[in-house]
């Protein structure tokens, strides 16, 4: 999955139904509101609630910084 993929705009978190951000280097989609990371396996997002991995405070700040940098 790449940042230009039109599918990315359609994907939503299974828990809060909000948008997800692509973390291409991590191979994951990230929900910063719930601090959950969903893996992308063989190009397929794993968006089951049980697939979400809780992200700690330090990693959350690092990921937010990376997302802000990629948005500019």
């Amino acid at each position: 999955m790449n940042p230009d993929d039109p599918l990315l705009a359609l994907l939503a978190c299974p828990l809060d139904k909000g948008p997800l951000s692509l973390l291409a280097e991590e191979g994951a989609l990230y929900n910063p509101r719930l601090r959950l990371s969903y893996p992308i396996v063989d190009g397929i997002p794993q968006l089951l609630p049980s697939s979400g991995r809780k992200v700690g405070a330090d990693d959350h700040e690092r990921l937010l910084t990376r997302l802000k940098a990629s948005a500019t």
Side-chain angles (χ1 to χ4, degrees), residues 4-33:
D4 299 329
D5 194 330
L7 178 62
L8 188 58
L10 301 174
L11 296 177
C13 176
L15 297 175
D16 74 357
K17 310 302 186 238
L20 297 167
S21 299
L22 177 64
L23 299 170
E25 305 84 25
E26 309 264 336
L29 293 169
Y30 187 57
N31 178 341
R33 299 166 307 284

